[in-house]
Amino acid sequence: MAAVVNGMNVPTEQDFHRAITERASHWYSLCLKITRDAHLAEDAVQDALISAWTKRHQFEFNARLDTWISRIAVNSALQLLRKRHPERWQVLESEVRDTSAGHFEQRHAAELDASLGVALQQLSEFERICFVLKHLQQWRLQEIADLLDTNLGRTKQGVYRATQKLRMSMLHLRSEA
Amino acid sequence: MINEEMLTFYYYGDGLSDLEIADIENQLRTQPILADQYAKLRGELEQMVSREDAGVSDLLVHRLHKSIDRAKDLETSRADRGTRANEVRPVADTVKENAAQFLMNRLVSLAAILVLGLGIGAFFFEGSSPHMYRDPSVNGFVSTRTLHEQSLADTTTPFLRGLQSHLRKTRLELNGDEKTEKPDGLQGNRTLLAIAGQNRMYQKVAELNQASDLARVLRAFEPILMRLAEQELTAEQEQALIAKLRFELDVMLTKLSRAPSKGRYST
């Protein structure tokens, strides 16, 4: 994979351009799952890239550049979400189902398995982000907790509730089909 | 007792202690019902997959490439600036000295702004009493002719053009050209304070002549100048002040571009 940086120096401009060519779609998709807003997702990816470029001296060479940028992108996406949609962020920590998700999920269901896309509508913001990061991105629970400024217990709860709801929803949807 | 939550985190390989993991593995081996339950759970979780990434527009990809290019250019330009500053003063080895150096390198630009302010002041008050005005076509400063002696039709348009040109040039200098000659720190500080004094004088004249817009612009210069006269500025603070000056320059440029269409300034 070209996005893996070769050599002992910090990632170069070419490394970044290569990573953009190969992984921009993945970063955007990830940010879209988190923000549910195409413009926010675009801004998050751009912010992440500039931030990664600025901090490229901190990049560890046993990591992949594109994975590193993914993580920064998730962070950027969450920051933008908190900043621009504080009302949605309030919902994040609650048990209330995020009804605003329907429109987005319907439009972008195609990017996930169809049943999963529909089933994600059943999740609260917090549960959805926990699920995306844990299940689809394989983040460690502690990393998710740190990112969301919460504790491990709440994060586990979020992930577990999400998987339970999704399992039930998907079973129901498939039985209907 | 092994519950579904524990099985879920066993599947993820995260969130369980070594003891809990060992316990689950042991019970999965010895309890077929639990093993079936786990197999079912695992199958359902494995079906929750993302098939593909959302499509990304070419425009966004282009924007991302450009953002890296711009970031690189910005770094290069900063590095060049740092190199030039070191060539001018290789002994500047402390942060404070560098900040002072940065400040002093811009004094000529600031002086140009304030001289410009004085010129604008002279230009805008032709309606009151006879006074001198700045003629950009004359090298140096002074023309003792009054605006009453020379018709506005003869002077206003070239004067405005000269002012606008000067403003734009000053603004370009503020954008980072550091080739200007560097006065030493103390002299530079005195110059700034003197300029601030002159600025205050013209601001008062503007108020007396009810040129409130001009007075406002000149008033806005003063705190910036006083602040810049302080030697303890960080690079960030200084950049913010320079940005503020740019804003005021833009205001004045806009004002000048509109001036010919207004009553007494029109040709």
Side-chain angles (χ1 to χ4, degrees), chain B residues 210-250:
Chain B
Q210 297 177 329
S212 55
D213 285 351
L214 176 63
R216 185 194 65 75
V217 174
L218 293 172
R219 198 159 42 240
F221 276 81
E222 186 171 334
I224 304 172
L225 288 163
M226 298 306 287
R227 192 83 177 86
L228 277 168
E230 296 172 17
Q231 297 284 320
E232 307 277 336
L233 288 174
T234 64
E236 286 79 9
Q237 288 171 324
E238 190 182 11
Q239 279 171 0
L241 290 169
I242 295 294
K244 173 78 176 159
L245 280 173
R246 282 196 198 110
F247 171 75
E248 297 300 340
L249 275 170
D250 285 344

Side-chain angles (χ1 to χ4, degrees), chain A residues 13 16-17 20-21 24-26 28-29 32-33 42-43 45-46 49-50 53 56 110-114 116 131 134-136 139-141 156 159-160 163-164 166-167 170-171 174, chain B residues 3-6 8-9 11-16 20 37 40-41 44-57 60-61 63-72 75:
Chain A
E13 192 182 358
F16 273 85
H17 283 306
I20 290 168
T21 304
S25 177
H26 171 73
Y28 172 70
S29 188
L32 194 60
K33 285 180 190 118
E42 289 182 4
D43 288 349
V45 174
Q46 187 171 14
L49 267 172
I50 293 170
W53 172 263
R56 66 193 187 281
E111 76 177 81
L112 294 172
D113 177 271
L116 179 60
F131 176 77
K134 181 68 226 174
H135 188 85
L136 301 179
W139 280 37
R140 307 294 296 173
L141 287 165
K156 282 179 76 173
V159 171
Y160 179 62
T163 56
Q164 289 297 94
L166 289 172
R167 286 174 66 204
M170 289 176 76
L171 275 177
R174 282 172 183 161
Chain B
N3 58 29
E4 204 150 55
E5 182 175 355
M6 292 175 78
T8 301
F9 291 106
Y11 168 80
Y12 286 127
D14 192 10
L16 296 175
E20 286 171 323
Q37 187 186 349
K40 183 169 178 280
L41 169 70
E44 288 176 9
L45 288 173
E46 282 175 352
Q47 284 178 12
M48 297 178 190
V49 290
S50 177
R51 287 193 304 194
E52 58 188 23
D53 291 329
V56 62
S57 69
L60 175 60
V61 174
R63 185 174 138 194
L64 297 176
H65 283 297
K66 290 295 286 180
S67 67
I68 292 297
D69 289 340
R70 274 198 301 272
K72 172 85 188 311
E75 272 189 7

Side-chain angles (χ1 to χ4, degrees), chain B residues 150-170:
Chain B
Q150 185 173 9
S151 74
L152 283 172
D154 291 335
T155 60
T156 305
T157 303
F159 182 71
L160 280 177
R161 278 203 297 269
L163 272 181
Q164 284 172 323
S165 165
H166 196 163
L167 276 167
R168 290 189 186 110
K169 190 178 167 192
T170 307

